[in-house]
Amino acid sequence: MKLAEITEELATSSGFKGEPDWLRGFRSEAFKEFSTLPVERSGLYAKYADLLTAVDFSGLKSKTELEAPAEATLDANVSAKIVQNDSGAIRITPSKELVEKNVILLPIDEAFAKHGSLLKDYAAGIIPPLGKDKLAYLNRAIFNSGFFLHVPKNVSIEKPIRQIFSSDSDSFSLFSRSIIVLEESANVSILAEDYTHSNSDKSSIYSSLVEVYLKDDANFAFSNIQAHARNVVSLANRQVRCGRDSRVKWAGGYTGGSITRSRIETLLEGRGS
């Protein structure tokens, strides 16, 4: 199955058990955008469009039963650990500091169930001024994993949050969407690590969409280290909307995979950001 052959039926069947109707509506709208957008809008990237249209998406399927990763031990130099496997299941181990400071850090499906009224404002995603991205909308339509992070006003988390994705499967398909909200004068950093190990020739897909909303004077840093096996197609989208005097730092090192497509879009909307 190629990119143009992905159906809306697949998108609407990718939802979490018991997810609200409004979220299914957002998935449907996202699929409509995906269906109409070109693979690449910018002439800078158009030459790579043929690579993406040739990717095999046959591994896409709805997931209903997730096998959670093993219990994670919290390292002394991090404030939380997020462990994710190729089924889409996530296990989060927060520090006592995060709990005491009322930081919300949950798997995205649990967050939609417990904090739907808060997340609804961000479910449509960030729309960059330079144009909509086809693969970001594909992720919004069929995401089956991810996490939600909300840092309250004036809360500073000194130690980074560590996120680890790992897979030993011969073939997998994972669409992870994470939504991060920092209120006024909040501060946090994330170190994301992606590791896959396989000698298979079967294609695997790992799509990671990270959407960040920084309120006034917030500070956020995100670093990503990727070491995928040779059969993995890595599709990374990072998007942030910055409020007044907010700061964001992006860093990435991509050393593996058959194809890696990374797109970072930063909206400096607030004065002084």
Side-chain angles (χ1 to χ4, degrees):
M1 179 171 60
K2 304 304 181 185
L3 194 63
E5 299 171 330
I6 298 174
T7 65
E8 185 172 3
E9 180 182 1
L10 176 61
T12 55
S13 67
S14 298
F16 304 112
K17 184 178 180 181
E19 75 176 24
D21 290 340
W22 60 261
L23 180 54
R24 286 194 290 271
F26 277 118
R27 287 187 186 274
S28 180
E29 290 301 315
F31 184 83
K32 291 176 183 177
E33 293 283 1
F34 159 75
S35 299
T36 58
L37 287 168
V39 176
E40 295 288 3
R41 297 176 65 98
S42 169
L44 293 174
Y45 304 103
K47 61 183 178 180
Y48 303 114
D50 289 345
L51 289 174
L52 295 171
T53 54
V55 170
D56 182 8
F57 285 84
S58 299
L60 288 178
K61 57 184 178 180
S62 173
K63 294 178 174 63
T64 54
E65 297 296 331
L66 303 180
E67 183 179 348
E71 194 75 40
T73 302
L74 189 63
D75 302 327
N77 59 344
V78 300
S79 63
K81 182 179 284 187
I82 305 169
V83 180
Q84 183 180 36
N85 61 26
D86 56 41
S87 77
I90 283 184
R91 188 180 295 277
I92 295 176
T93 306
S95 65
K96 183 179 179 180
E97 177 190 14
L98 259 65
V99 176
E100 291 178 343
K101 292 184 174 180
N102 296 316
V103 174
I104 300 172
L105 180 57
L106 294 171
I108 194 82
D109 56 335
E110 186 176 341
F112 275 118
K114 292 183 176 180
H115 303 281
S117 58
L118 176 61
L119 271 164
K120 191 173 183 179
D121 292 335
Y122 305 104
I126 296 171
I127 311 301
L130 296 181
K132 300 174 180 178
D133 184 79
K134 186 179 185 74
L135 296 179
Y137 275 100
L138 176 61
N139 185 294
R140 292 183 184 114
I142 64 177
F143 70 94
N144 47 27
S145 188
F147 65 88
F148 173 57
L149 171 64
H150 178 267
V151 184
K153 182 178 180 179
N154 296 324
V155 169
S156 181
I157 306 301
E158 298 302 326
K159 297 178 181 179
I161 293 172
R162 186 183 182 194
Q163 177 193 1
I164 303 171
F165 167 76
S166 63
S167 171
D168 294 315
S169 299
D170 288 339
S171 180
F172 67 88
S173 174
L174 181 64
F175 280 71
S176 176
R177 181 186 183 190
S178 297
I179 299 175
I180 299 167
V181 181
L182 273 64
E183 300 293 348
E184 290 85 349
S185 301
N187 175 66
V188 74
S189 61
I190 295 177
L191 173 60
E193 305 167 41
D194 304 328
Y195 305 110
T196 55
H197 309 277
S198 174
N199 293 317
S200 174
D201 291 327
K202 297 179 180 178
S203 179
S204 291
I205 307 289
Y206 180 52
S207 169
S208 173
L209 172 61
V210 178
E211 298 167 313
V212 184
Y213 299 84
L214 302 181
K215 303 297 177 65
D216 295 350
D217 204 35
N219 286 274
F220 176 72
F222 186 94
S223 301
N224 186 201
I225 299 171
Q226 180 257 79
H228 283 311
R230 63 183 182 181
N231 66 322
V232 177
V233 175
S234 175
L235 308 173
N237 284 81
R238 316 291 185 223
Q239 300 179 335
V240 60
R241 175 170 286 154
C242 297
R244 178 177 53 81
D245 294 325
S246 63
R247 295 288 185 270
V248 60
K249 295 180 181 178
W250 298 106
Y254 305 102
T255 63
S258 60
I259 297 174
T260 296
R261 192 259 203 183
S262 177
R263 184 69 52 82
I264 297 176
E265 295 165 302
T266 302
L267 281 68
L268 303 177
E269 292 185 333
R271 185 182 180 91
S273 60

